[in-house]
Amino acid sequence: MELLPRPPAPRQRPLASAALLSAAALALLGLLSWVRPEGSSGPAFLLKTAAPSPIDLLPEVEKEEGVGGPLDWLHYKVIIASHSSYPVALMIGFNCFGNVLLRKECGGNPYPNWLFGYLLGFICYTYPGAIASDLFFKHDFLRAMSNDNVLMVYTFWFVVIQNFEGVYKFLTRKWVFVFLTVWWLADATRASMCFLERAITHQAVFSRGVFQCFLWCGAGPILRVAEASIRGAPIPPLDKVQPNTFNAVKYPLVMMWMTMMGYLLYMAFLTDCKIFSGGLTMVECGKKHDDVFAALVYLSLGMHIFRTMQQTDGKIVFDHCMCGT
């Protein structure tokens, strides 16, 4: 008896998914430029208040005329600019990663309930460090929830990743996901130092900086474990979420904590700012040392690229043991 040939398996179309994703991202950028023409102006996550912040009183940093090219744009317009603003270029990748992580934690399936998923995805997977920092150290409005650009970018990625299987599968392809984690880590690292500066500027006490480092790095994993419990998913033990080690080369969360502590110690003891004895605020001191700020961001990115290259088993573990700020 002659067997009938099997019908050909449907071809995956990664290029089509990438093209669709690129078109959607360009549409988002166009919407942001039309609705919010000021883009990323103003202090990062901040709304203008009656009293100017210390960072508003600083003179503009003089930039070299004629600077051009993608690397110069990345350094000056994204990394250096992110010290006092929130560039949309970082915001897009950061929110994309948070929403991919939300779906990954659900076994690759959409969240069981969109109403709860939207809020829990924002608080537990995208901006837990920022929200926790404002609650504990600022006692003011939640900056992540007071930015229209963040609202539009987060909503865009939530809708796309929850509803389009092809986009989610494309974003979780190995090297696409590696690129996405590097993109996310650039924003997470720069934000960690910005929030550290503001926590100490609000009240110049060394212990606030130490607790800010622990809070920033611990809020994301702890809130995600709590969210898994609410959802009824298996709860991972804490030694699986983050092993008990100081190995910053292997574990990004340890590297993030060491970066923040190093930045705090440098500003406190290796500069002439006197941030704890009536001199400059840490925000003002940070603006005087943009080069250190940028160097720590690049160090974190370089360490992650090295970490990825060392993973010979082909598996990329980048979920619970990340800050998810």
Side-chain angles (χ1 to χ4, degrees):
M1 180 177 179
E2 184 178 356
L3 297 177
L4 295 176
R6 289 185 178 181
R11 294 181 58 190
Q12 295 184 352
R13 298 188 296 174
L15 291 179
S17 298
L20 176 63
L21 189 61
S22 300
L26 289 174
L28 175 63
L29 285 172
L31 177 63
L32 286 172
S33 64
W34 179 66
V35 176
R36 305 273 295 174
E38 69 274 19
S40 58
S41 62
F45 282 130
L46 291 178
L47 297 176
K48 294 295 184 180
T49 56
S53 66
I55 202 170
D56 294 326
L57 304 178
L58 295 175
E60 291 292 327
V61 178
E62 294 184 3
K63 295 184 177 60
E64 180 182 356
E65 294 295 333
V67 170
L71 293 180
D72 288 323
W73 171 83
L74 177 65
H75 179 70
Y76 290 107
K77 299 297 186 181
V78 178
I79 301 302
I80 295 297
S82 71
H83 201 175
S84 57
S85 65
Y86 195 0
V88 174
L90 291 177
M91 190 186 303
I92 290 175
F94 191 83
N95 282 269
C96 180
F97 176 84
N99 277 285
V100 169
L101 196 57
L102 175 66
R103 184 158 176 172
K104 280 174 66 70
E105 287 296 302
C106 295
N109 300 313
Y111 204 82
N113 182 295
W114 68 268
L115 186 63
F116 302 147
Y118 184 90
L119 183 61
L120 291 173
F122 190 88
I123 295 175
C124 301
Y125 288 88
T126 311
Y127 288 103
I131 292 172
S133 296
D134 283 339
L135 288 174
F136 279 84
F137 292 111
K138 189 67 176 173
H139 307 298
D140 202 348
F141 61 86
L142 300 178
R143 283 169 279 195
M145 292 182 171
S146 305
N147 187 312
D148 290 343
N149 284 353
V150 170
L151 173 67
M152 288 188 286
V153 173
Y154 175 78
T155 302
F156 168 82
W157 283 121
F158 181 82
V159 171
V160 169
I161 292 172
Q162 289 291 312
N163 293 283
F164 294 92
E165 185 77 15
V167 172
Y168 172 73
K169 287 185 175 180
F170 172 76
L171 290 171
T172 52
R173 292 165 66 92
K174 179 179 178 181
W175 294 111
V176 176
F177 193 60
V178 168
F179 174 76
L180 186 60
T181 57
V182 172
W183 196 351
W184 175 90
L185 195 59
D187 195 4
T189 304
R190 74 94 203 169
S192 70
M193 291 184 283
C194 289
F195 275 85
L196 176 61
E197 290 175 357
R198 291 166 193 146
I200 293 179
T201 294
H202 190 71
Q203 185 179 357
V205 181
F206 183 77
S207 63
R208 286 175 64 89
V210 174
F211 280 109
Q212 169 68 18
C213 297
F214 280 97
L215 181 66
W216 182 269
C217 295
I222 291 172
L223 286 175
R224 285 198 288 275
V225 170
E227 184 277 331
S229 176
I230 294 171
R231 185 163 29 91
I235 302 175
L238 289 180
D239 62 343
K240 299 297 183 183
V241 173
Q242 173 58 56
N244 188 27
T245 176
F246 283 97
N247 189 344
V249 176
K250 186 174 182 180
Y251 295 103
L253 191 59
V254 178
M255 179 66 185
M256 179 77 71
W257 183 86
M258 289 186 174
T259 299
M260 295 182 71
M261 283 299 300
Y263 190 60
L264 172 62
L265 294 173
Y266 177 83
M267 291 295 175
F269 304 112
L270 297 179
T271 68
D272 58 355
C273 296
K274 301 179 180 179
I275 60 176
F276 295 117
S277 55
L280 297 177
T281 67
M282 192 169 177
V283 170
E284 294 169 333
C285 187
K287 284 302 294 178
K288 288 182 60 179
H289 297 87
D290 273 338
D291 52 342
V292 176
F293 174 87
L296 289 175
V297 173
Y298 296 140
L299 175 63
S300 181
L301 299 183
M303 183 68 74
H304 179 59
I305 294 172
F306 173 78
R307 181 184 302 119
T308 302
M309 294 174 63
Q310 297 302 306
Q311 292 174 325
T312 56
D313 57 358
K315 182 180 179 182
I316 300 174
V317 179
F318 207 80
D319 39 54
H320 273 299
C321 61
M322 289 310 304
C323 302
T325 54

